[in-house]
Amino acid sequence: MQVELKMNPKIGMPKTLGEILPYAASRFGSKPALIAGDAELSFLELEAQTNQLANAFVNLGVQPGERITLYGTNCSEWVVSYYAALKVGAVINPINVMLTPEEVSYVANDCGSAVLLGTADKLAPLTDIKQQSPIRELICFGDEVPAGMLSFNALLNGESSEFEPVVSQADSLSTICYTSGTTGHPKGAMHSHRNVLINANMTALMHGRTDKDTVVTALPCSHVYGNVVMNAAMIKGMTLVLHSRFDEKVILESMQAHKATLFEGVPTMYMYLLNHPELDQYDLSSLRICTVGGQTMPVAKMEEVERRFDCPLIELWGMTELAGLGTTSADSGPIERGSIGVTLPYVEAKVVDTEDASKTLGVDEVGELMMKGPIVMMGYYGNDTGTAETIEPDGWLHTGDVARIDKSGHIFIVDRKKDMIVTAGFNVYPAELERVISGHPDVAMVAVGAVKDEKKGELAKAYIIPKDGTQPAAEAIISYCREHLAAYKVPREIQFVDDFPKTSSGKVMRRKLHELDT
């Protein structure tokens, strides 16, 4: 597709997400911005394509403030859609590609999405969603477009490559990101433009990211970790080499071919890379740093990565509610192994008593980690109760993680106050699984706990009390879960029990469920 590429005069630092590409294109021009599959786009070409789609959005009647949902694997179309939506003043709703149609429908209804974009395999089961939600249009990436949907490619054809981004306020709503729900349904964390931009800029500062960097990653752009990687790359003029899925051989070949200076991933990815029999045959000498987040990684494995990759491995920690990172180590500063680093600039952290958040604890005392600063979410969409439970009136955010802070300011995660299960970097909440499993006709009661897994960190295990007179099979329960839950949430083990460990008030003690293991 032929578009006119123009270098605009340099403009100031972006104050909203819709200004990122105009800013980057004015500075980095024809430098490669994005390599994804067969697509390779310069900053000018990415700017032009996002302008074309922005014009198409306007022609479809998209208004500032309307929600646009993205549901697809990493690809150039996903990135173009993200920035085009923000240019028209829409609120972006990036969702996990592993969600089921049932879960997508819930999210679309909850946030009031008007447009849904994605790949054909994901959109095909959603042909009826327009009758079940506020969604007006389905826009499909690629050449094979199911009936009743608009073609992404066709929308761009003929549209102008010029577009003036809608003026938005830095503190206005830019993004709604859904987390797995502690009460059985996901919650939409709302982020302003400022939240997301500060996180990306401060992450770039801590890691020394510049236009000399090339980052290789398979982190989903829909996840806050991957989103920070993407936005930081665009703002700083890096080349982003984006993979749709993680395959250790493909990633190693990509790092070597593109002379990557950064690789970013979750611990599971590094475990697979370390286990690859040909790892030492690849030339990874271009790597400057690697980052790891999503869940804790054993220090011994981190040291092995550093030894075999011959570069520092920097741990980071974050939350959907923080628009990405909350803590990390500086690439040029001291790195304390076993620590999640120090807070990003402009961000504060403290440890409080787990039973009394008004009581701040001292050096190396263990309690709940709390965060405060311009990266803290605006709140949960349409959920004032959840917001009040998570953010104190003075702005401090409950993380649910139990931690300690040493005298140098390094933070160490000790445990999780919440019952969240982290599977290969994805958050899984027992209450959500329990809500679904309890809908099976043979289930009387269910409690979900975690079991350790060498590769994925943790997996969900369901303990079930069958209804009287029934004899459900574990395979049948798992099949039922697959129909209603994203694949990463499906319990990997089922155990039938007579009762659960409970408190004196009758509350199930999830942390003692493992005592029932057979």
Side-chain angles (χ1 to χ4, degrees):
M1 143 189 346
Q2 295 294 320
V3 293
E4 184 182 1
L5 304 178
K6 278 197 230 175
M7 192 83 158
N8 294 323
K10 287 190 177 181
I11 59 176
M13 278 291 289
K15 295 182 176 58
T16 66
L17 299 177
E19 297 170 5
I20 288 178
L21 282 185
Y23 166 83
S26 76
R27 277 161 173 73
F28 309 113
S30 58
K31 180 182 184 293
L34 176 66
I35 299 171
D38 296 330
E40 181 169 337
L41 300 171
S42 70
F43 284 94
L44 280 171
E45 289 169 329
L46 196 52
E47 164 73 347
Q49 283 199 18
T50 55
N51 285 343
Q52 288 177 291
L53 185 57
N55 282 310
F57 280 148
V58 171
N59 292 338
L60 290 173
V62 174
Q63 299 295 314
E66 284 197 302
R67 283 68 161 127
I68 292 182
T69 298
L70 294 183
Y71 182 44
T73 52
N74 288 348
C75 58
S76 63
E77 294 94 335
W78 198 103
V79 178
V80 168
S81 301
Y82 177 88
Y83 290 110
L86 291 159
K87 281 184 174 182
V88 301
V91 174
I92 201 75
N93 169 226
I95 59 175
N96 191 327
V97 72
M98 297 175 73
L99 296 189
T100 64
E102 181 180 330
E103 292 168 311
V104 174
S105 182
Y106 174 84
V107 168
N109 276 290
D110 191 62
C111 74
S113 182
V115 178
L116 173 62
L117 298 96
T119 49
D121 61 321
K122 294 300 174 185
L123 297 190
L126 294 168
T127 51
D128 296 332
I129 198 169
K130 287 197 279 188
Q131 286 76 50
Q132 303 164 0
S133 74
I135 289 175
R136 301 192 302 270
E137 300 290 354
L138 296 174
I139 301 174
C140 184
F141 303 153
D143 298 323
E144 307 261 337
V145 179
M149 301 184 192
L150 299 176
S151 164
F152 175 91
N153 293 336
L155 281 177
L156 266 63
N157 280 330
E159 291 292 353
S160 170
S161 60
E162 297 290 324
F163 185 83
E164 190 67 32
V166 170
V167 176
S168 301
Q169 298 302 309
D171 289 323
S172 65
L173 179 63
S174 75
T175 313
I176 304 177
C177 295
Y178 278 80
T179 67
S180 292
T182 54
T183 57
H185 283 296
K187 296 180 290 187
M190 299 185 293
H191 285 293
S192 68
H193 293 271
R194 189 191 305 276
N195 289 154
V196 181
L197 277 171
I198 286 183
N199 203 307
N201 275 304
M202 293 306 100
T203 298
L205 176 67
M206 292 291 280
H207 296 161
R209 301 170 193 241
T210 73
D211 60 351
K212 303 294 190 295
D213 281 314
T214 295
V215 56
V216 170
T217 186
L219 292 167
C221 290
S222 56
H223 190 279
V224 286
Y225 188 3
N227 190 259
V228 168
V229 171
M230 178 185 73
N231 278 320
M234 296 300 134
I235 294 168
K236 294 301 177 181
M238 301 165 63
T239 298
L240 174 63
V241 182
L242 197 58
H243 290 269
S244 60
R245 58 183 290 272
F246 177 81
D247 177 282
E248 56 267 44
K249 182 176 175 62
V250 172
I251 292 293
L252 288 168
E253 290 174 347
S254 181
M255 287 193 282
Q256 176 176 273
H258 296 291
K259 299 188 184 307
T261 59
L262 286 90
F263 173 71
E264 318 211 46
V266 296
T268 307
M269 295 178 181
Y270 287 98
M271 299 296 192
Y272 281 116
L273 290 171
L274 290 175
N275 289 334
H276 193 278
E278 299 174 0
L279 170 61
D280 296 328
Q281 296 179 25
Y282 289 91
D283 180 5
L284 305 181
S285 60
S286 59
L287 284 172
R288 181 173 66 80
I289 60 170
C290 292
T291 71
V292 62
Q295 64 189 108
T296 57
M297 187 172 180
V299 171
K301 288 295 182 184
M302 295 184 73
E303 291 172 343
E304 184 180 353
V305 170
E306 292 190 322
R307 184 173 67 255
R308 298 183 69 184
F309 285 44
D310 195 25
C311 73
L313 176 60
I314 297 179
E315 191 166 3
L316 49 87
W317 168 93
M319 299 174 66
T320 301
E321 289 84 350
L322 293 174
L325 282 63
T327 71
T328 189
S329 295
D331 68 320
S332 56
I335 298 175
E336 188 74 30
R337 283 284 159 255
S339 164
I340 58 172
V342 297
T343 58
L344 295 182
Y346 307 115
V347 177
E348 300 175 72
K350 67 178 180 179
V351 171
V352 301
D353 187 284
T354 56
E355 302 301 323
D356 182 2
S358 67
K359 182 180 178 183
T360 301
L361 304 182
V363 172
D364 282 328
E365 289 190 286
V366 174
E368 184 186 5
L369 178 65
M370 297 189 73
M371 305 291 292
K372 185 179 183 181
I375 60 174
V376 171
M377 68 171 180
M378 303 166 72
Y380 293 119
Y381 181 74
N383 189 343
D384 292 341
T385 300
T387 300
E389 290 172 349
T390 306
I391 304 175
E392 294 290 336
D394 59 2
W396 283 98
L397 174 83
H398 288 272
T399 71
D401 282 338
V402 176
R404 64 179 177 86
I405 304 177
D406 71 11
K407 62 182 180 182
S408 66
H410 285 90
I411 302 169
F412 297 79
I413 297 295
V414 177
D415 200 352
R416 282 192 297 277
K417 182 181 177 184
K418 299 176 183 176
D419 292 311
M420 183 176 70
I421 300 165
V422 181
T423 298
F426 291 108
N427 295 344
V428 179
Y429 285 92
E432 186 175 13
L433 275 63
E434 291 164 1
R435 176 181 63 83
V436 169
I437 296 170
S438 63
H440 191 282
D442 295 338
V443 173
M445 291 182 64
V446 57
V448 172
V451 291
K452 296 294 183 184
D453 182 80
E454 184 176 346
K455 290 183 177 178
K456 296 187 177 180
E458 295 176 323
L459 296 172
K461 177 176 180 178
Y463 300 83
I464 293 172
I465 301 174
K467 284 186 179 177
D468 288 343
T470 66
Q471 292 182 315
E475 294 79 9
I477 301 293
I478 290 174
S479 294
Y480 179 84
C481 290
R482 288 199 183 104
E483 294 175 11
H484 301 280
L485 292 166
Y488 70 90
K489 299 179 186 177
V490 174
R492 297 307 191 269
E493 290 185 44
I494 302 288
Q495 183 176 332
F496 297 103
V497 297
D498 295 323
D499 201 358
F500 303 131
K502 298 172 184 169
T503 65
S504 58
S505 62
K507 184 177 180 181
V508 174
M509 301 172 70
R510 289 200 184 102
R511 292 184 181 274
K512 289 196 173 186
L513 287 171
H514 65 90
E515 296 177 1
L516 300 174
D517 289 351
T518 57

